[in-house]
Amino acid sequence: MNEEQVWLEQARQGDKAAFGKLIEAYQTPVYNLAYRMLNNAGEAEEAAQEAFIRAYTRLDSYNPEHKFSTWMLSITSNYCIDLIRKRRALLLSIDEPLPPHPALMSDNSKGPEAQVVMNEQQAMVQTLLQELPEDYRQTVVLRYWYDLSYDEIADMMDTTVSAIKSRLFRARRLLAEVGQEAGLDPVRDSAALTAVS
Amino acid sequence: MEHEETYLLMMDALDGELAEAQHSELEAHLRACPSCLQEWQALLAVHTLLQQTPALSPAVDFAQRTLARLPNRRVRIWTLTAIYALLLLGGILPLALAVWLVFILRPVLSEPTILSSISQSIGQALQVMGTIVWALLAGLGEMVVQQPAIVGWLLVLLGIISIWGGVSRQLIFQTSPRQTS
Ligand SMILES: [Zn+2]
């Protein structure tokens, strides 16, 4: 048994501290997923907390043959999708002013200039992602930040590999189009051609 | 080669799944077709941007605050066990009682006259129940035809009851209170 399996077993028996170790280990992937999906620091934190609470109460239904990280991400992304759909159903404005992510403001380790560049990059990414319908966004986020295979994403979203492929295809073309409109520099000719091989 | 086909090659290239022969195929098309080259440059720009953007972390005390909101699993486990045990007893006790009764009354029950009278009375009871249900259904049918307004009101009432059921479930089964940071 590795460390994670020990924590899981202890958590299953009601040991909150053991589950705390798991929260610490997975807080960034879970929070990042929620933030990319919801584009709002407060909502993302609330959703990430809710995802961990759900995981804790449903620990009995977790199948140890799967990776815990995948299970956790699947709970988080499904919860975010539900939230987005509910939000739309309630007709609340999605275009409300969004607070900037606090971590972007506080991290000065790379020096102020590098920080400004990084903030711009994060802002551009969020702008692009928000242009996608939520299921496309989910696919893109899972693919790019979590390095999941088409198989794993299809499994998680309860659909087929070909559906995921076509979703990613359309999402990428949409992002490319919006990226150009938003002023994202296209890759130069020579670099683009060498990238093929 | 068609442009559409090229797009598919571009996707495989982004996923790093382009076969050797397809590399040159894609490159040749890109050199010859400005519109596909433009698309490829834009796709590559977004792809690179996404690949190079690090994940965002939550606030430093996130884990601590989440931990404080966790419901109590031990209590839940004990409650579930107790309910399970009660259900089990609820099922087993009457069964055991019936088996015991049959065992005690076996000599009496094996008398043919008693057996036939038991089956007769069960048959009669079923008949009576059938009559009652039939009368109820017929009455209901008549009411629907004659008083559609009453049926409408009943439906509204059901709606209200189900809404309140949902609200109270939300209130009862909510996890620990939300923490404001
Ligand atoms: Zn072309």
Side-chain angles (χ1 to χ4, degrees):
Chain A
M1 255 205 240
N2 63 25
E3 215 175 24
E4 184 175 295
Q5 287 166 320
V6 174
W7 291 337
L8 273 166
E9 191 43 46
Q10 290 169 339
R12 205 181 305 231
Q13 283 157 19
D15 184 347
K16 286 188 189 178
F19 194 75
K21 302 274 188 198
L22 290 165
I23 299 179
E24 269 165 31
Y26 291 103
Q27 56 180 343
T28 296
V30 166
Y31 175 82
N32 181 64
L33 175 56
Y35 186 78
R36 302 295 172 197
M37 290 302 292
L38 302 168
N39 194 31
N40 174 310
E43 277 189 334
E45 169 156 330
E46 176 63 35
Q49 284 198 348
E50 192 57 42
F52 278 115
I53 292 170
R54 287 186 175 198
Y56 186 66
T57 47
R58 293 178 196 170
L59 265 184
D60 295 317
S61 67
Y62 164 63
N63 176 359
E65 281 167 26
H66 293 122
K67 277 194 277 178
F68 180 71
S69 59
T70 318
W71 186 64
M72 206 51 240
L73 291 175
S74 137
I75 292 178
T76 313
S77 73
N78 287 330
Y79 180 70
C80 289
I81 290 274
D82 281 352
L83 213 61
I84 292 169
R85 295 191 176 148
K86 258 184 217 158
R87 184 160 70 177
R88 189 176 306 134
L90 283 169
L91 293 173
L92 283 178
S93 165
I94 301 171
D95 304 319
E96 64 203 54
L98 301 165
H101 185 269
L104 294 181
M105 300 294 153
S106 56
D107 180 16
N108 291 318
S109 56
K110 301 180 194 86
E113 273 171 50
Q115 196 50 45
V116 169
V117 172
M118 186 48 77
N119 287 349
E120 280 174 5
Q121 181 179 335
Q122 293 280 10
M124 172 64 91
V125 166
Q126 289 308 113
T127 310
L128 295 183
L129 286 177
Q130 294 320 299
E131 293 296 324
L132 296 177
E134 65 267 11
D135 45 352
Y136 286 26
R137 196 185 313 150
Q138 190 182 16
T139 311
V140 166
V141 171
L142 290 174
R143 179 75 182 165
Y144 278 97
W145 275 278
Y146 302 95
D147 226 12
L148 295 179
S149 67
Y150 287 113
D151 255 330
E152 286 171 307
I153 299 175
D155 227 29
M156 207 181 264
M157 296 174 74
D158 213 10
T159 180
T160 60
V161 170
S162 65
I164 294 299
K165 273 201 161 179
S166 89
R167 229 174 257 180
L168 197 61
F169 177 90
R170 286 188 219 145
R172 278 166 165 166
R173 296 204 61 198
L174 212 63
L175 287 175
E177 192 188 318
V178 183
Q180 299 311 296
E181 284 165 13
L184 183 66
D185 291 329
V187 174
R188 273 171 292 112
D189 290 20
S190 53
L193 283 171
T194 46
V196 171
S197 40
Chain B
M1 191 167 51
E2 292 290 322
H3 303 301
E4 287 296 327
E5 209 179 309
T6 316
Y7 294 148
L8 292 176
L9 287 183
M10 290 181 199
M11 296 302 147
D12 286 344
L14 292 180
D15 289 330
E17 285 170 1
L18 211 54
E20 202 56 50
Q22 294 172 315
H23 279 302
S24 35
E25 200 183 335
L26 176 57
E27 198 184 328
H29 185 94
L30 291 180
R31 284 186 190 283
C33 176
S35 81
C36 277
L37 179 61
Q38 207 178 4
E39 176 77 20
W40 174 241
Q41 288 171 309
L43 278 171
L44 207 53
V46 167
H47 177 77
T48 316
L49 174 73
L50 291 177
Q51 270 190 325
Q52 291 174 348
T53 303
L56 292 170
S57 301
V60 273
D61 56 347
F62 173 84
Q64 220 178 345
R65 276 182 291 125
T66 310
L67 206 56
R69 276 187 61 192
L70 289 183
N72 208 331
R73 254 185 89 76
R74 284 206 177 106
V75 169
R76 202 169 149 270
I77 291 170
W78 279 111
T79 316
L80 284 180
T81 314
I83 290 175
Y84 187 70
L86 273 177
L87 284 177
L88 208 64
L89 278 179
I92 285 175
L93 275 183
L95 204 69
L97 205 67
V99 169
W100 180 71
L101 272 176
V102 166
F103 188 76
I104 296 278
L105 299 176
R106 201 173 38 179
V108 186
L109 284 174
S110 50
E111 295 280 329
T113 46
I114 293 185
L115 270 184
S116 70
S117 70
I118 285 178
S119 69
Q120 215 174 0
S121 51
I122 289 177
Q124 277 165 352
L126 284 177
Q127 218 172 354
V128 169
M129 267 156 67
T131 316
I132 292 173
V133 169
W134 179 247
L136 279 175
L137 285 178
L140 197 69
E142 218 161 295
M143 193 182 80
V144 170
V145 174
Q146 290 175 355
Q147 305 284 351
I150 292 183
V151 178
W153 273 111
L154 277 177
L155 286 178
V156 170
L157 201 68
L158 270 181
I160 292 172
I161 289 172
S162 75
I163 287 171
W164 273 107
V167 169
S168 54
R169 252 200 311 280
Q170 281 284 323
L171 290 176
I172 293 166
F173 291 113
Q174 217 174 28
T175 48
S176 52
R178 288 186 177 183
Q179 200 172 341
T180 43
S181 45

